[in-house]
Amino acid sequence: MAAGNKMDVHPALIGSLSPTVSSDKVINFSPGPTSLPKSVENEIAASFTKSGFTSLALSHRSPEFIDILDKTTATLKRVMGIPDNYEILFTHGGGHGQFAALPLNLCHELSDVATYVVNGTWSARGRDEAQKYCNAETIDGKDPQTGKFTHFPELTEENINVQSKYVYLCSNETVNGIELHRLPKLPESRKHIPLVVDASSDFTTKPIDWNGDNVGVLFACASKNIGHPGLTMTVVRKDLLGEGKASPLCPGVFNYTTNSEAGNLWNTPATFNIEVVGLLMNWLDREGGVAANEQRSIAKSQVLYDVIDNSNGFYATPVANKMLRSRMNLPFNIKGGDDTLTQKFLIESWEAGMVGLRTLTPFGVGDYLRASLYNGVTEEQAETLAQFMIAFATNNT
C-alpha cells in the first residue's frame, strides 16, 4: 500500500465500491450489506415513482402496512416451509442484538447452561455476548495445531451438557468460509435440546428441516440475502414463548413473547425493510424457490473453487474439507498471501468493476480476500470473476 497521505492510496485498497466503470458493469462481492437481485432493486426503485405513500412513510399501524406485514410473513412461511408451530418476528439490533436476546429469552436464570459450538468469528462473538446472561459452555472448533477455524467439531453426548437450554451454532461463518450445508443432528440423548441457528448469511439458499432438526430459534440479518441493514428476521418455535420463560432482565424490545403477542408491533418496526423482505421472497418464489436457489449457489461457488483448486497453488483457500466449504463466502489468497500480488489483484479487479473482495472490518483486512456470493450475485457474474482469476494467474505466474 502506498505510504503517506490517504490520497496516495488506490481506492481499491481501502474498500471503495465505486470503480471507474459504468454502473451496469459493477459486480458487488461484498460480505454484507450488499446488492439484492437486480429485478428486486428495480421493484424497489419503481415503488418510489408510484402515487401514494411508500412504506417509508406508512404508519406501522395503518391497514396499508398491516397488509404488507401479513403478506411478507405469509410468503416467508410458504417459500421457506416454516411450519405453523413457529412464529416469525422482525427484530432490531442485528445479529449482535440476537446474541443477547437468545440467552435473555431462553435462560431464565444466570446459572442456566447453554452450549455454544464455536467454529468461527461470529459464533465466538455470540458466545462471548451470551456469557453475560447465562453459563455459556463451549464446544471448540479450532484446529489444535494451527489455532485456526477450519472444521466443524463433532457433537457428542460428552460435549453437550444435558442441562443445556439450547445448542447454538452458526450455519455459515462468513469470515472463515465454513458452511453446514445441512444442519447437524444432535445425539439421541440430546435431541430434546432446542437448536439455535445464526443463519444470517445462508438463509434462503438451502432447505431447513425445522421440526426434524429441532430448530428452536433461527435468525437471519437481512443485509446479506434477504434485504437491507436494520432488520433481523427471527423465527421462534412457539413452545419457547410464554409468560415467565424469559429472564426478568430481558428488555421488552428483545423479548420474543412480548413482540409475538403484539404482532410485531410492540414498537415501531422497520417498515420499509419488511416490505423489501417480502419482495425478495416473491423473487425467490418466481425463481424456483429454495431448491433452485441451492443449485444456483452450488454452481456459483463451484466455478470459483475449481479455479482455486486447479491453480497449482497460485490461489489457496483455508478450508480443505470440500463438504464444509462455504457456498456463500469464499476466502482465498494469492501466492500464500503475497502482498504485492494481492494489491495488484485488488486494483485490477476493481478497475474491471469487481468490488467488495476486501473490506475494512473490525477484525482488520484478514489473511484472505473473500468473494461473497449472495442472492444478488448471478452465475454469470461468478463466472466473470473466475475468468479474471484465471487470466490474472496466467499473467503473473
Side-chain angles (χ1 to χ4, degrees):
M1 185 179 291
N5 192 290
K6 284 187 177 181
M7 295 297 291
D8 300 328
V9 180
H10 192 283
L13 304 182
I14 55 173
S16 167
L17 303 178
S18 304
T20 51
V21 299
S22 61
S23 60
D24 62 320
K25 292 185 178 180
V26 178
I27 307 174
N28 190 356
F29 292 107
S30 295
T34 189
S35 303
L36 293 171
K38 185 57 65 178
S39 64
V40 176
E41 292 185 340
N42 290 340
E43 269 191 274
I44 295 168
S47 72
F48 287 89
T49 65
K50 294 188 293 190
S51 60
F53 295 133
T54 68
S55 55
L56 288 171
L58 291 177
S59 165
H60 63 295
R61 299 191 182 277
S62 67
E64 290 84 357
F65 176 70
I66 298 300
D67 184 57
I68 290 171
L69 178 61
D70 289 346
K71 285 179 177 177
T72 297
T73 301
T75 308
L76 259 169
K77 283 188 172 183
R78 178 171 51 80
V79 176
M80 291 307 302
I82 302 173
D84 289 339
N85 61 321
Y86 287 84
E87 188 82 8
I88 295 176
L89 302 177
F90 295 107
T91 55
H92 302 274
H96 286 89
Q98 289 308 301
F99 294 164
L102 284 159
L104 285 167
N105 278 276
L106 302 185
C107 297
H108 191 269
E109 307 294 337
L110 289 171
S111 59
D112 283 347
V113 174
T115 296
Y116 276 72
V117 185
V118 177
N119 67 300
T121 300
W122 292 108
S123 49
R125 286 174 81 106
R127 183 272 318 275
D128 293 347
E129 184 70 9
Q131 287 176 336
K132 302 174 184 177
Y133 310 109
C134 71
N135 179 11
E137 298 184 354
T138 300
I139 301 175
D140 193 353
K142 278 186 179 175
D143 185 294
Q145 294 183 324
T146 66
K148 303 287 187 181
F149 292 113
T150 55
H151 74 287
F152 190 83
E154 185 181 2
L155 305 183
T156 67
E157 289 186 351
E158 289 72 30
N159 60 21
I160 300 174
N161 189 323
V162 71
Q163 300 299 323
S164 297
K165 296 295 184 181
Y166 59 90
V167 173
Y168 178 103
L169 59 85
C170 178
S171 53
N172 180 64
E173 285 283 2
T174 62
V175 175
N176 310 91
I178 298 172
E179 181 180 354
L180 300 174
H181 301 141
R182 291 295 183 271
L183 293 176
K185 303 292 185 183
L186 299 185
E188 193 65 36
S189 64
R190 302 296 188 267
K191 284 188 175 179
H192 65 283
I193 303 173
L195 193 65
V196 168
V197 184
D198 174 358
S200 290
S201 50
D202 59 344
F203 186 67
T204 73
T205 68
K206 57 198 170 192
I208 298 166
D209 185 359
W210 297 90
N211 286 314
D213 289 329
N214 199 33
V215 176
V217 180
L218 180 146
F219 69 91
C221 304
S223 59
K224 300 178 186 296
N225 267 321
I226 61 172
H228 296 308
L231 181 74
T232 301
M233 183 216 64
T234 302
V235 184
V236 184
R237 205 174 63 208
K238 290 179 180 179
D239 66 291
L240 299 176
L241 303 171
E243 189 69 31
K245 292 197 174 183
S247 163
L249 300 174
C250 186
V253 72
F254 283 162
N255 190 297
Y256 296 156
T257 299
T258 298
N259 286 277
S260 171
E261 291 176 348
N264 275 303
L265 301 174
W266 187 77
N267 70 326
T268 307
T271 53
F272 171 71
N273 302 55
I274 290 172
E275 182 178 30
V276 170
V277 171
L279 295 176
L280 189 285
M281 299 312 297
N282 288 333
W283 168 85
L284 184 61
D285 199 22
R286 293 193 303 270
E287 295 296 319
V290 175
N293 206 30
E294 180 171 39
Q295 293 308 308
R296 286 192 292 272
S297 296
I298 292 170
K300 288 188 289 186
S301 58
Q302 193 59 55
V303 71
L304 294 177
Y305 282 126
D306 284 347
V307 171
I308 294 168
D309 291 339
N310 295 323
S311 68
N312 295 317
F314 188 85
Y315 299 110
T317 189
V319 182
N321 184 346
K322 294 183 180 181
M323 300 301 292
L324 286 175
R325 283 180 175 178
S326 175
R327 302 166 183 164
M328 298 291 100
N329 312 92
L330 283 68
F332 65 95
N333 65 15
I334 302 166
K335 280 286 187 180
D338 181 281
D339 194 51
T340 300
L341 276 178
T342 299
Q343 290 189 29
K344 185 179 182 185
F345 183 96
L346 284 168
I347 291 170
E348 291 185 7
S349 60
W350 184 88
E351 291 175 345
M354 288 166 276
V355 302
L357 294 168
R358 169 177 279 176
T359 52
L360 306 182
T361 75
F363 322 111
V365 296
D367 298 328
Y368 294 88
L369 304 181
R370 270 188 296 164
S372 296
L373 306 176
Y374 301 132
N375 286 331
V377 176
T378 67
E379 292 178 59
E380 292 75 18
Q381 289 173 330
E383 179 65 36
T384 297
L385 176 58
Q387 292 303 316
F388 174 85
M389 291 173 69
I390 292 168
F392 186 87
T394 300
N395 295 335
N396 291 278
T397 298

